[in-house]
Amino acid sequence: MVKFFTFGIILLMSFTTNATSAEDIDAIEIVKAVAQVQNLIDRHPPDKYDIRFQQMPVGGQCGIVGCTWRKLVAIVVEAKRANRPTLTLLAEVSNNIPDRGAKPQVRFVDLTDMDPAVLNSQL
């Protein structure tokens, strides 16, 4: 019985270790690998444009079988000239498969107005 209990604790700890490792995933590098983003970077030379990437976690959950995660990546392209026109793109990077070797999904999203009734029902 003690061996079974010890094995169970070790197994649970290994799941917990794998679950917390999803936090260290760099969603920026995943977005930079997308062909459309590489094309965007190529069309905006660094001597004429500043390109910045920022990421933030937007949800996920961990359980016995592993983690799912989501991160939002903002791509900000700003011209280096008067009035500095700016382009901002948003990409959601997620992986619903607990396997770290699985390919994350990248989808480009847009901000829209939220119906106040939806917001009130969420709080």
Side-chain angles (χ1 to χ4, degrees), residues 25-63:
I25 294 171
D26 188 359
I28 291 173
E29 291 305 316
I30 294 168
V31 169
K32 284 182 177 180
V34 173
Q36 293 94 334
V37 175
Q38 290 175 353
N39 188 20
L40 176 78
I41 292 169
D42 292 343
R43 289 190 332 256
H44 294 85
D47 60 328
K48 294 183 181 179
Y49 297 90
D50 285 325
I51 301 178
R52 294 182 314 276
F53 292 83
Q54 298 173 332
Q55 73 177 356
M56 64 180 261
V58 290
Q61 84 184 54
C62 291

Side-chain angles (χ1 to χ4, degrees), residues 27-28 31 53-55 71-75 89-93:
I28 291 173
V31 169
F53 292 83
Q54 298 173 332
Q55 73 177 356
K71 292 187 179 187
L72 187 65
V73 175
I75 306 163
L89 302 172
L90 298 173
E92 179 193 55
V93 183

